[in-house]
Amino acid sequence: MKARFLLVFLVISTLLMAACGKKEIENAVNWPIKNFTATTQENKPISLKDLKGKIWISNFMFTSCPDVCPPMTSNMVKLQKMVKDEELKNVEFVSFSVDPKVDTPEVLTRYATQFGVDFKNWNFLTGYSQEFIEEYGPKNFKTIVKKMSEGNVLHQPYFYLVDQDGNIKKTYKGDQEVPFDEIINDIKTLQ
């Protein structure tokens, strides 16, 4: 009888300790992302399957944006440097252009170079229609994307943390008061 009680106690203790040790991202949203086909700043094709198995930080931007995009891009560069300094592996950065007709691969490359982007793990995407991105953003990222006039596209200034299976885990402010440490900790949790 004592041996049986001891065995049950050990099993329950082991299960409880295992459950306590598992870290999860606080306030995770778990939004699945549907496939997309795009072109990178290097004029190479990319799709969701190319990002499977990787953690990625994403945002929506356009190169002629007069207000939120420059600070978002600067903040993403800072985050990219933090990821490198922390030696976090298998982390990608993905920026979807919300003005794909204007933002050709060449334009995206010039824009990103101004900010000191490291292209080793950061792709700027274009090569799809305006209609596609205006539908894809809201359906997958729960964000607004709407071309208001020539040179003006309404979009939200968020960063999105995407897990290795292509699920958005969390959103963060990307233009000001960016929670850099929280993002780094959440990436570590996913790893």
Side-chain angles (χ1 to χ4, degrees):
M1 184 74 167
K2 283 184 180 179
R4 187 174 181 174
F5 174 77
L6 184 59
L7 181 63
V8 169
F9 176 76
L10 286 173
V11 169
I12 290 173
S13 296
T14 303
L15 290 173
L16 286 174
M17 286 177 25
C20 291
K22 185 178 180 188
K23 292 170 70 176
E24 291 190 19
I25 293 178
E26 193 174 320
N27 301 317
V29 294
N30 295 314
W31 300 329
I33 298 176
K34 300 274 192 240
N35 193 29
F36 63 86
T37 302
T39 303
T40 70
Q41 75 281 351
E42 295 175 338
N43 210 16
K44 295 181 179 174
I46 189 171
S47 67
L48 183 60
K49 71 177 174 164
D50 296 307
L51 296 165
K52 288 283 187 170
K54 299 176 182 180
I55 296 166
W56 42 296
I57 303 291
S58 186
N59 73 334
F60 290 80
M61 51 68 64
F62 64 110
T63 60
S64 60
C65 175
D67 43 37
V68 298
C69 297
M72 283 178 62
T73 304
S74 291
N75 290 332
M76 194 85 104
V77 167
K78 180 178 178 181
L79 185 59
Q80 185 185 39
K81 287 178 182 168
M82 290 175 74
V83 163
K84 185 177 182 180
D85 291 345
E86 292 279 337
E87 298 180 1
L88 300 174
K89 304 294 182 214
N90 231 10
V91 179
E92 297 284 323
F93 293 83
V94 178
S95 294
F96 288 89
S97 171
V98 295
D99 196 7
K101 186 175 179 185
V102 172
D103 290 342
T104 63
E106 298 77 22
V107 170
L108 288 169
T109 299
R110 276 196 308 273
Y111 174 83
T113 301
Q114 294 174 37
F115 290 91
V117 166
D118 182 349
F119 291 112
K120 287 181 193 152
N121 65 334
W122 192 343
N123 284 299
F124 286 75
L125 307 187
T126 190
Y128 37 75
S129 69
Q130 187 67 39
E131 295 75 22
F132 169 81
I133 198 66
E134 287 186 16
E135 185 177 312
Y136 189 80
K139 281 189 176 177
N140 293 274
F141 290 81
K142 316 293 187 243
T143 189
I144 298 167
V145 178
K146 182 70 178 158
K147 187 153 192 165
M148 306 303 287
S149 61
E150 205 57 44
N152 187 16
V153 184
L154 179 64
H155 66 97
Q156 294 172 300
Y158 296 130
F159 292 164
Y160 302 87
L161 176 63
V162 183
D163 72 9
Q164 297 92 328
D165 297 320
N167 298 303
I168 297 170
K169 301 305 282 185
K170 201 166 184 180
T171 63
Y172 314 89
K173 285 188 63 143
D175 58 340
Q176 52 188 310
E177 299 174 22
V178 178
F180 292 106
D181 292 335
E182 179 183 346
I183 299 170
I184 293 295
N185 287 333
D186 289 342
I187 291 170
K188 288 178 180 178
T189 299
L190 288 178
Q191 289 188 324

